């Protein structure tokens, strides 16, 4: 187990009992068999598409808990990639099982779509920058005179291309998405994404959390049916704001890694790898934010 800065942190897993498929920005993926994969959520944190060298303690456990909660809550909207297998079904050593406990899922192998499905309910981040320049977000015209962090008249779907590790995702138009994956499938992805966001945002608001925007990923099963994959509605894939501190015109305080992004913006760093080490204070405050939002959503 490769740890750094904190005794309970996992920066990288080392599971020799299973073949490694890939290491992503946050996840280590291992092969189980022809039909299944093991996905491990480490404590790595990426910001501006660069993996930071400092892990956030227990972040992977919290993300896994939150994603699994949402998979359960929203399973009526669309099937997801979770399988019925557990760690006990795998040929693991005791040390390997300890590394994986609480931060791993065994999922069905599916064919991932080469696009990310982004839903925005509020005007913030790259959407706000786009709107200031063009009056639109990803080509979707919006009313004039909106402020930063304003709630949009209705949520909008703004897909992006899926980038390799270290590259930036690129916003694409819906027409471009239709060209890439087919018109009918693109329509289905948009419709399902907006419904997932609608139900999640409604639930979260009752818990005092605004979901400003979020990202979904999808795959196809052997029959060509659409399945929800990756993680969903976590502080890594979404922008969560405390509802009681929200007001338009400013960038609201955040439950997600915006806290790290804000710190990084104060540095003389070019947003290219390698990322800078995070101070202990930033690391601990970020971990506390992840814990707080998990408690508000799932308890």
């Amino acid at each position: 187990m490769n740890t750094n800065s904190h005794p309970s942190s996992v920066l990288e897993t080392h599971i020799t009992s299973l073949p490694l498929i890939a290491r992503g920005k946050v996840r280590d993926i291992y092969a189980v068999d022809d039909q299944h994969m093991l996905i491990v959520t480490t404590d790595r944190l990426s910001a501006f598409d660069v993996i930071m060298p400092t892990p956030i303690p227990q972040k992977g456990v919290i993300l896994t808990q939150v994603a699994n909660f949402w998979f359960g809550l929203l399973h009526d909207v669309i099937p997801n990639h979770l399988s019925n297998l557990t760690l006990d079904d795998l040929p693991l050593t005791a040390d390997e099982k300890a590394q994986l406990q609480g931060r791993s899922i065994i999922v069905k192998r599916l064919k991932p779509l080469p696009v990310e499905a982004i839903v925005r309910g509020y005007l913030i981040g790259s959407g706000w920058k786009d709107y200031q320049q063009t009056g639109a977000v990803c080509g979707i015209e919006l009313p004039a005179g909106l402020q930063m962090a304003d709630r949009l008249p209705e949520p909008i779907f703004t897909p992006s291309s899926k980038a390799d590790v270290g590259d930036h995702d690129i916003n694409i138009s819906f027409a471009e998405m239709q060209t890439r994956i087919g018109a009918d499938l693109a329509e289905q992805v948009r419709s399902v994404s907006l419904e997932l966001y609608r139900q999640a945002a409604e639930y979260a608001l009752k818990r005092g959390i605004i979901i400003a925007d979020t990202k979904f990923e999808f795959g196809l099963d052997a029959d060509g049916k659409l399945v929800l994959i990756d993680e969903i509605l976590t502080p890594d894939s979404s922008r969560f704001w405390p509802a009681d501190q929200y007001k338009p015109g400013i960038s609201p305080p955040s439950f997600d890694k915006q806290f790290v992004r804000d710190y990084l913006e104060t540095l003389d760093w070019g947003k290219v790898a390698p990322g800078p080490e995070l101070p202990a204070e930033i690391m601990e405050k970020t971990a506390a934010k992840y814990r707080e939002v998990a408690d508000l959503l799932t308890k």
Side-chain angles (χ1 to χ4, degrees), residues 146-222:
L146 294 177
Q147 298 183 76
M148 176 194 284
D150 257 337
R151 184 176 180 178
L152 298 174
E154 60 184 351
I156 58 173
F157 177 77
T158 60
S160 74
S161 66
K162 207 183 282 187
D164 294 328
V165 174
D167 291 335
H168 293 275
D169 297 338
I170 297 167
N171 292 335
I172 59 174
S173 67
F174 185 66
E176 169 70 14
M177 180 181 170
Q178 288 178 307
T179 302
R180 290 189 186 199
I181 67 170
D184 289 350
L185 188 55
E187 287 284 0
Q188 191 186 356
V189 168
R190 178 168 66 178
S191 170
V192 166
S193 298
L194 288 166
E195 181 59 20
L196 287 168
Y197 175 82
R198 187 191 69 75
Q199 290 195 25
E202 199 174 280
Y203 171 89
L205 199 54
K206 291 175 185 164
R207 301 299 185 98
I209 295 172
I210 288 169
I211 304 177
D213 51 43
T214 195
K215 165 183 79 82
F216 300 110
E217 294 194 40
F218 296 91
L220 299 176
D221 68 11

Side-chain angles (χ1 to χ4, degrees), residues 76-87:
D76 288 345
V77 179
I78 183 175
N80 62 62
H81 66 164
L82 296 181
S83 76
N84 295 322
L85 297 177
T86 69
L87 292 181

Side-chain angles (χ1 to χ4, degrees), residues 1 8 10 12-18 20 23 27-32 37-43 58 60-62 64-65 68 86-106:
M1 191 189 308
S8 63
V10 175
E12 200 172 85
T13 56
H14 296 280
I15 308 298
T16 56
S17 302
L18 298 172
L20 179 70
R23 292 194 200 279
R27 284 167 185 77
D28 294 346
I29 304 173
Y30 295 88
V32 172
M37 301 183 302
L38 174 73
I39 300 180
V40 191
T41 307
T42 69
D43 297 328
Q58 293 294 293
V61 173
I62 294 163
T64 302
Q65 175 196 353
N68 287 348
T86 69
L87 292 181
D88 291 334
D89 297 313
L90 305 185
L92 301 168
T93 66
D95 175 62
E96 288 171 340
K97 207 178 273 192
Q99 286 183 57
L100 300 173
Q101 208 66 50
R103 61 172 70 245
S104 59
I105 51 174
I106 302 165

